[in-house]
Amino acid sequence: MTNKPLDRRAIPGDASLSTWRAPDGWAIRRMDWPAPGKARGSLLFGGGRGDFIEKYLEGHAHWRAQGWNVTAFDWRSQGGSRGDIEGGHLDSLDTLVDDLDGLIAEWSAATPGPHVAIAHSMGGHVLLRTLAERHPPLDAAVLVAPMLMINSAPLPTFAAWWAASLAAMAGLGRQPAWHQQAEPAPVGSYRQSCLTGSPERYEDELYWWKQEPGYNLGAPSWGWLKAAYASCAALTDEKLRGVTKPVLLLAAGRDRLVSGAAIRHAADVIPNAELVTFERSAHEILREADPIRLEALARIDAFLEERSGLRSAA
């Protein structure tokens, strides 16, 4: 029997959407896509700022085909978890750490192990903070282009953080940090070059924005940037050294959004970490052109096979 090709623009029929309630009652949109047959374990995925479940369906399908029960979700303030928050604004990323810690606790208690988590960009940052501060019941974690510091070039980090803090103090905390045109940036734009070398996958995001205009958050607010800088600073070396679970970090050599130096530093400090850099990749490694994307998936598969306890269990 031949597997039907994945439609990247439709939720799979055998996946289920539901609502998970965060510790404070916030409605978090969730998708569960069980593996066909006996599962090898359970995998939780979280995207970056402005992402949503549908954007990474291709990756979810890959991991499901590898035998994982896949759970994905939309972060509070974005996607189907926006609630009444405009533009994805948050005053602190601590709330996202609380959300993820609570979700992992309930999800891991209800699903078969081993339990692994994969997260991209802002999600990778929140996952690492959760590992460092809450020590959740995970067997391994993968951080894809994690936002361990914002790439503020040409401004130095301290100047960009100061500017965001000053704007928030001036009452502009909920205002976008830069102007964006009303129409989404098309294929071939500077925005696409920052994200992916795959026009087709970039177009997928634009398709979903047309279906769900609220998924397009636009530029981050000054307050969100202030919160992000503060949250990155909270990941001290002392906290990183306390992360004992196996961690794979994937870095993009052409990343204009997050700091490659911060990712390399974390890989040096975390005791049980591995680092793989894709020199020709833009920020969205898992949505890049196939030569990069498929290599990244293969690296993740090998890491999870080796470091999540699957090989020893076999």
Side-chain angles (χ1 to χ4, degrees):
M1 184 175 67
T2 302
N3 290 332
K4 183 179 179 180
L6 175 73
D7 182 354
R8 298 199 301 259
R9 300 183 179 184
I11 295 285
D14 47 1
S16 61
L17 292 173
S18 62
T19 297
W20 176 77
R21 293 287 173 178
D24 65 354
W26 195 275
I28 302 293
R29 179 174 179 251
R30 167 176 173 169
M31 182 189 79
D32 290 280
W33 196 5
K38 183 179 178 180
R40 65 164 51 195
S42 302
L43 184 153
L44 180 68
F45 181 86
R49 181 194 176 272
D51 288 346
F52 41 88
I53 291 169
E54 291 88 341
K55 189 170 170 179
Y56 281 91
L57 287 175
E58 198 170 20
H60 305 331
H62 171 84
W63 294 313
R64 178 179 179 269
Q66 296 296 308
W68 295 98
N69 288 333
V70 175
T71 298
F73 64 97
D74 290 342
W75 293 103
R76 178 190 300 243
S77 80
Q78 59 191 53
S81 305
R82 296 188 308 282
D84 58 0
I85 298 178
E86 292 292 332
H89 172 80
L90 291 171
D91 292 313
S92 172
L93 300 195
D94 294 356
T95 309
L96 302 185
V97 176
D98 292 339
D99 290 348
L100 183 58
D101 185 45
L103 177 57
I104 290 174
E106 291 192 25
W107 163 80
S108 62
T111 55
H115 295 97
V116 301
I118 303 174
H120 166 69
S121 195
M122 181 201 76
H125 166 85
V126 177
L127 176 56
L128 185 54
R129 272 198 60 191
T130 305
L131 288 167
E133 299 173 7
R134 309 295 179 86
H135 307 287
L138 292 173
D139 296 289
V142 180
L143 314 179
V144 183
M147 185 192 74
L148 305 188
M149 184 52 71
I150 297 170
N151 182 353
S152 59
L155 285 178
T157 297
F158 77 88
W161 188 355
W162 177 84
S165 300
L166 189 64
M169 289 174 59
L172 302 176
R174 293 181 175 270
Q175 297 301 310
W178 56 81
H179 173 74
Q180 288 188 181
Q181 295 181 351
E183 291 298 318
V187 169
S189 63
Y190 175 77
R191 181 180 186 272
Q192 185 208 317
S193 72
C194 289
L195 297 179
T196 173
S198 169
E200 298 83 4
R201 293 184 177 94
Y202 183 77
E203 284 184 320
D204 289 341
E205 182 178 40
L206 303 184
Y207 167 83
W208 286 111
W209 282 358
K210 288 181 180 179
Q211 308 308 307
E212 296 285 348
Y215 285 4
N216 181 2
L217 299 185
S221 66
W222 285 112
W224 188 94
L225 287 174
K226 177 187 175 184
Y229 280 114
S231 191
C232 288
L235 275 172
T236 63
D237 285 2
E238 181 181 2
K239 287 184 179 179
L240 293 177
R241 282 191 286 267
V243 176
T244 58
K245 299 296 184 181
V247 176
L248 173 65
L249 298 98
L250 303 185
R254 295 175 44 239
D255 206 320
R256 298 171 186 167
L257 303 184
V258 304
S259 167
I263 296 172
R264 293 189 295 272
H265 178 77
D268 288 339
V269 176
I270 297 170
N272 205 3
E274 301 176 26
L275 172 65
V276 180
T277 300
F278 297 88
E279 296 294 348
R280 297 175 56 236
S281 181
H283 181 58
E284 294 183 344
I285 299 171
L286 296 179
R287 299 183 69 250
E288 260 289 3
D290 276 348
I292 296 169
R293 184 183 69 89
L294 294 176
E295 182 183 352
L297 289 171
R299 293 293 190 113
I300 292 171
D301 291 344
F303 170 81
L304 294 180
E305 181 77 19
E306 179 70 29
R307 308 298 295 277
S308 70
L310 284 171
R311 186 168 294 180
S312 58

